[in-house]
Amino acid sequence: MGFEKNILCIGAGFVGGPTAAMIAYKCPQYGVTVVDISKERIKQWNSETLPVYEPGLDEIVKATRGRNLFFKTDIAKGIRDNEIIYVCVNTPTKTFGAGAGLAADLQFWENTARDIREHARSSKIVIEKSTFPVKTALAMERILNSRASKIQFDVLSNPEFLAEGTAVRDMEYPDRVLIGSRDTEGGYRARDILVEIYANWVPRQKILTSNIWSSELSKLAANLFLAQRISTINAMSAICERTEADVSEVAKIVGMDGRIGARFLNASIGFGGSCFKKDILNLVYLCQHEGLPEVADYLQGVVRINEYQKERFVMNMLEAMFNTLAGKKVCLFGFAFKADTSDTRESPAIHVVRRLLEERAEVVVTDPRALDNAKIDLKGLAGRVSYVKDPCKAVKGCQAIAVVTEWDLYRGLDYKKIYGQMIKPAFIFDGRNILDHKRCFEIGFNVYPVGKPGLTHFK
Ligand code: NAD
Ligand code: UGA
């Protein structure tokens, strides 16, 4: 092929696709191939409409696809032809058997490890890019080396810290790149090769090397710390609502302490996404398994508060709308788990819709990017749900708007016009605190933010 290095990404998802595209973009001297068991996914990556919506991603894929970035379905050939292999497969929470609901489901990576062992004809560096439980590298080594052969496999941990919606920026200017290796000659050699790849665009001082178990554990720890901040500020929001304090003011004041920091303190309807919950539960499982029930309980609290926050949002709606939602039409502003993504995995919207339907409300969902995924998530739910892309049309005949995703577009809408189309009294429940609450109140809405006093026209 004539490339300086040949790199393979196994798993063409939210992480594998963008990771491969960024390496190909920054390193034209390397050939990067992405493979997946899903032929449909690969087809989408080769089409005009990528399977993942991420700002800036289309551009880097278009610049590299067919040049030094290739999306293919032949996994065996990919393994044979590439010496550096990123494992980017999914690691969802197990839904069956021992550890169901907590542990990571490792069948996907184990199949990958077996594929690599099966098809490798020369030595490989195998990189854990997915988020794995601690000690996965040991299991991976055991599988890879379970066949008598001279082929050497060096396993590295190189967890991904990107957030969806900012994936391209996060990969281009990462806070840090973490590479964990074994304390062996082969481990160090593999580590140095990976450091050189990232050094093509990441400043050396941001490339951290560590012991492989610290690397695996730090990825889970980072997600725990991030999620914990949201659950802490959301717990404060519940106290604010009872005391007439304002959670935005509390967050600002607390965050100005340099030791705490201002970012990631937005009270909300609760965190969503495919990773926070699963990674914390993964740690909970580890603690239970290792005889650390107190630690397990402490960590579980982060997830418990998140479930509570989502339910609290629905109960606030019910109470404000005179304790009945039956037959009322509610419009959800946003379905994605956060802004700037089409991803709806673990989105709080799913809980809200399910609960609204249980209360026999009628639901209209609007979202600029996530309606296709919303339709899949809500398939089979009993009750009436409709989907309208334009928020100004979606609100027609509704009694309430529930802001679930912090899309910028919702800040700039003509709320006077929207009010005119709704049944009165009209309500806004701002699960993201992004609207101009005073202005909406003056237009006539009864406004309920998260963690702030409600603004109502009722005496
Ligand atoms: P995803 O579900 O979008 O993609 C995983 C892909 O792997 C799928 O396309 C699936 O078909 C493919 N796959 C599964 N088994 C395979 C096999 N044996 N061979 C080839 N392909 C296979 O998942 P994702 O969001 O990209 O997450 C992947 C990993 O990265 C997870 O461990 C996750 O925790 C971690 N992570 C995700 C993010 C994120 O923002 N999504 C960020 C950091 C880390
Ligand atoms: C998160 C981490 O931020 C990444 O560093 C990590 O790599 C990734 O998980 C992962 O391991 O998958 P992501 O879930 O894509 O990234 O998005 P975040 O920006 O972390 O948002 C997660 C959820 O928290 C969203 O629902 C968001 O709306 C919510 N959130 C975020 C809040 O409610 N308040 C905040 O202040 C920040």
Side-chain angles (χ1 to χ4, degrees):
M1 281 193 274
F3 291 112
E4 201 179 287
K5 286 189 202 312
N6 295 305
I7 299 171
L8 179 72
C9 286
I10 301 183
F14 281 81
V15 168
T19 300
M22 182 55 70
I23 297 173
Y25 184 65
K26 293 291 182 184
C27 314
Q29 71 277 28
Y30 304 158
V32 188
T33 302
V34 190
V35 292
D36 201 290
I37 38 171
S38 163
K39 293 192 170 52
E40 184 54 32
R41 268 261 164 122
I42 293 298
K43 199 166 133 203
Q44 288 171 335
W45 280 106
N46 280 317
S47 75
E48 282 306 296
T49 314
L50 303 182
V52 170
Y53 169 68
E54 270 296 332
L57 184 62
D58 279 25
E59 288 77 357
I60 62 168
V61 170
K62 277 190 186 134
T64 50
R65 199 171 50 191
R67 181 190 78 182
N68 66 331
L69 176 65
F70 311 96
F71 293 94
K72 302 214 164 137
T73 49
D74 192 341
I75 298 176
K77 182 168 167 27
I79 293 168
R80 275 198 307 274
D81 291 350
N82 292 276
E83 64 268 21
I84 297 168
I85 302 178
Y86 279 94
V87 179
C88 308
V89 301
N90 39 329
T91 53
T93 305
K94 210 174 160 197
T95 53
F96 55 89
L102 289 180
D105 184 345
L106 297 174
Q107 57 175 309
F108 304 101
W109 85 254
E110 181 160 343
N111 287 341
T112 304
R114 287 174 192 280
D115 278 347
I116 296 172
R117 185 193 62 182
E118 192 71 23
H119 300 294
R121 299 284 175 272
S122 56
S123 296
K124 309 283 173 194
I125 296 175
V126 178
I127 303 161
E128 297 178 343
K129 178 53 93 180
S130 303
T131 306
F132 290 116
V134 198
K135 292 282 173 171
T136 297
L138 183 63
M140 191 173 268
E141 285 167 356
R142 284 182 177 157
I143 291 175
L144 292 172
N145 295 318
S146 61
R147 192 177 259 183
S149 109
K150 289 225 165 60
I151 298 176
Q152 184 172 342
F153 295 101
D154 287 300
V155 178
L156 296 173
S157 161
N158 171 221
E160 183 50 65
F161 294 103
L162 68 81
E164 290 179 30
T166 53
V168 173
R169 197 188 63 207
D170 294 344
M171 283 189 301
E172 193 163 15
Y173 306 105
D175 286 346
R176 78 297 209 193
V177 167
L178 175 58
I179 301 171
S181 65
R182 287 292 222 167
D183 293 326
T184 58
E185 209 180 299
Y188 293 142
R189 197 172 47 239
R191 177 196 70 187
D192 293 346
I193 290 173
L194 195 54
V195 167
E196 287 313 313
I197 292 177
Y198 287 109
N200 280 287
W201 77 95
V202 180
R204 294 246 175 200
Q205 68 274 19
K206 295 203 166 180
I207 305 177
L208 289 180
T209 57
S210 76
N211 131 357
I212 197 161
W213 317 125
S214 306
S215 173
E216 287 180 339
L217 183 58
S218 298
K219 169 62 198 176
L220 296 172
N223 274 357
L224 169 69
F225 271 73
L226 290 167
Q228 167 275 125
R229 286 173 71 86
I230 304 170
S231 278
T232 303
I233 200 68
N234 282 344
M236 294 310 300
S237 77
I239 304 177
C240 287
E241 285 168 31
R242 294 286 160 83
T243 58
E244 292 183 42
D246 179 327
V247 77
S248 299
E249 291 180 348
V250 173
K252 185 173 173 195
I253 295 158
V254 171
M256 279 179 80
D257 184 325
R259 294 168 301 176
I260 297 171
R263 292 169 67 193
F264 239 71
L265 278 181
N266 295 322
S268 67
I269 186 169
F271 61 75
S274 59
C275 295
F276 279 170
K277 184 174 167 189
K278 90 164 163 61
D279 292 348
I280 294 167
L281 294 179
N282 190 308
L283 281 172
V284 170
Y285 183 67
L286 175 79
C287 295
Q288 288 178 354
H289 192 261
E290 295 297 330
L292 303 169
E294 289 79 5
V295 185
D297 188 49
Y298 175 62
L299 306 192
Q300 183 104 46
V302 174
V303 175
R304 257 197 317 263
I305 287 291
N306 199 51
E307 303 302 326
Y308 167 72
Q309 189 74 351
K310 291 188 277 186
E311 179 58 12
R312 221 168 61 74
F313 184 79
V314 177
M315 291 311 285
N316 280 348
M317 287 179 81
L318 182 64
E319 196 183 318
M321 294 176 75
F322 322 114
N323 291 309
T324 173
L325 294 168
K328 294 179 180 172
K329 214 166 154 187
V330 176
C331 184
L332 246 66
F333 271 21
F335 200 88
F337 83 95
K338 64 183 282 195
D340 294 323
T341 179
S342 53
D343 196 350
T344 59
R345 290 179 288 180
E346 295 291 336
S347 175
I350 300 168
H351 178 85
V352 173
V353 173
R354 186 170 292 144
R355 288 287 293 107
L356 289 176
L357 293 179
E358 276 171 18
E359 295 295 337
R360 310 236 165 124
E362 204 180 304
V363 180
V364 186
V365 178
T366 179
D367 189 290
R369 295 277 176 181
L371 285 190
D372 288 346
N373 282 334
K375 285 175 197 167
I376 297 169
D377 293 331
L378 301 178
K379 208 169 152 197
L381 278 189
R384 283 192 60 191
V385 186
S386 52
Y387 305 88
V388 182
K389 189 149 188 203
D390 181 346
C392 297
K393 293 193 178 128
V395 293
K396 200 158 188 297
C398 290
Q399 306 197 13
I401 294 170
V403 181
V404 175
T405 312
E406 68 278 28
W407 287 103
D408 242 350
L409 119 100
Y410 300 140
R411 296 175 212 265
L413 298 177
D414 182 346
Y415 281 93
K416 204 163 179 183
K417 199 166 141 207
I418 285 176
Y419 182 72
Q421 303 205 57
M422 293 178 62
I423 292 177
K424 316 296 178 308
F427 296 81
I428 291 180
F429 299 90
D430 187 355
R432 295 293 185 168
N433 286 345
I434 56 167
L435 303 188
D436 183 340
H437 299 145
K438 190 160 166 279
R439 163 109 183 97
C440 291
F441 170 71
E442 283 162 4
I443 288 169
F445 285 104
N446 298 292
V447 185
Y448 294 83
V450 173
K452 300 166 189 272
L455 302 171
T456 79
H457 296 281
F458 307 120
K459 296 280 175 271

